[in-house]
Amino acid sequence: RKEVEQDPGPFNVPEGATVAFNCTYSNSASQSFFWYRQDCRKEPKLLMSVYSSGNEDGRFTAQLNRASQYISLLIRDSKLSDSATYLCVVIKGDTGRRALTFGSGTRLQVQP
Amino acid sequence: GAVVSQHPSWVICKSGTSVKIECRSLDFQATTMFWYRQFPKQSLMLMATSNEGSKATYEQGVEKDKFLINHASLTLSTLTVTSAHPEDSSFYICSAGTFYSYEQYFGPGTRLTVT
C-alpha cells in the first residue's frame, strides 16, 4: 500500500465549478500535512498547510481528519489558472529528517 | 521568500558519463537538503537527505555509489549521477530546509536525458 494515496484524476471541470480532492495516508505517526501544486514540467509549489481545525485561503479550503487519516482540498469558483496537478504531502516527523512524502497527484483541468 | 536555484536546468549526456547537478539556497542557510526524482506521470520520490557536513541518508533502493551527494556548505549541495544510463533519465529536484521549520523550498529542477 502506498504511504499517500490520491485519485489520479483527471478532473475536468468548467470554470466556476467547485471541486474536491481527497487523500489518505497510511502512517498514523505522520505529523504535518500539506497540499502542493505542480504545473507541467515545473517544481512543486506549496499551496497550503493542512490543520485539524481546517483552514481556508481564499477559494481553497483544506481539512484534516486524523482519526480517518484523510486529507481534503476544496477549490471553489475554479479558474483556468487552477489547472495543475495537486499533490498531497505528508511529513512523518522523524527528528532530523523531515522528508516530504508525496502522493502521486490529482490532475485538474479547468475548462472555459 | 526563500529562493533555491539548480544548475543546470537541463542536460543531455551520453551513456557512461557522469553528470553533476548543483542545488543552492540563495538567501538562507539550508541545514538540510533533499534530492527527489520524478519520472513522467509519476510523483516525486525522495532519493536522499543530506545534512550539512555529514553523509547523506539514502532511501531504500537508491544506490549511494551511483548517486553521490555532497553537502559541503550551508548553501550548496551537489548530486552527481555517475556512469549514467538511459534509465537514469528523469527530472531531478532538490529542496532545502532549515532545522527549525518544516517548510521546504524547491529548486526549479534539472531535466536529465541520457542517450
Side-chain angles (χ1 to χ4, degrees):
Chain A
R1 184 185 170 190
K2 290 181 183 176
E3 289 193 62
V4 181
E5 296 214 50
Q6 292 181 252
D7 181 342
F11 283 56
N12 294 303
V13 303
E15 268 187 291
T18 296
V19 61
F21 304 139
N22 302 320
C23 166
T24 57
Y25 60 95
S26 61
N27 191 328
S28 59
S30 300
Q31 295 189 6
S32 299
F33 310 89
F34 308 90
W35 283 101
Y36 275 72
R37 170 197 169 124
Q38 187 176 25
D39 293 289
C40 189
R41 301 171 83 87
K42 299 280 190 183
E43 76 276 22
K45 292 189 187 295
L46 179 64
L47 183 64
M48 59 197 304
S49 302
V50 188
Y51 306 113
S52 297
S53 54
N55 48 303
E56 188 174 310
D57 183 1
R59 298 181 293 108
F60 300 84
T61 302
Q63 201 79 39
L64 165 66
N65 184 322
R66 284 189 183 270
S68 303
Q69 296 179 202
Y70 171 93
I71 305 162
S72 65
L73 176 68
L74 184 78
I75 305 176
R76 289 181 298 279
D77 189 22
S78 301
K79 312 288 184 193
L80 293 175
S81 57
D82 294 333
S83 298
T85 296
Y86 290 82
L87 303 167
C88 177
V89 182
V90 166
I91 293 183
K92 291 180 204 175
D94 297 290
T95 302
R97 294 202 64 225
R98 304 177 185 230
L100 304 179
T101 301
F102 286 83
S104 55
T106 299
R107 197 153 62 88
L108 172 66
Q109 185 67 48
V110 181
Q111 295 163 336
Chain B
V3 179
V4 175
S5 69
Q6 265 184 257
H7 177 80
S9 54
W10 59 271
V11 58
I12 301 173
C13 71
K14 291 188 177 179
S15 189
T17 61
S18 295
V19 174
K20 181 186 279 189
I21 302 170
E22 291 187 350
C23 177
R24 292 182 186 272
S25 56
L26 299 185
D27 52 2
F28 70 102
Q29 294 186 323
T31 49
T32 307
M33 286 188 172
F34 303 89
W35 287 95
Y36 297 86
R37 179 167 55 181
Q38 185 176 34
F39 292 106
K41 297 187 189 269
Q42 294 186 27
S43 193
L44 281 79
M45 296 297 293
L46 179 67
M47 298 176 67
T49 303
S50 73
N51 293 303
E52 184 264 340
S54 60
K55 288 184 179 179
T57 302
Y58 289 80
E59 294 300 299
Q60 194 172 11
V62 178
E63 300 174 56
K64 62 180 181 181
D65 294 329
K66 181 170 178 64
F67 298 98
L68 302 178
I69 290 171
N70 185 284
H71 191 169
S73 79
L74 286 170
T75 59
L76 173 65
S77 176
T78 60
L79 167 68
T80 301
V81 183
T82 62
S83 187
H85 291 284
E87 57 265 31
D88 297 324
S89 299
S90 188
F91 191 44
Y92 292 85
I93 307 177
C94 72
S95 71
T98 60
F99 190 73
Y100 49 83
S101 169
Y102 280 123
E103 191 156 2
Q104 293 184 23
Y105 306 94
F106 282 84
T110 297
R111 195 160 299 279
L112 170 64
T113 301
V114 184
T115 61

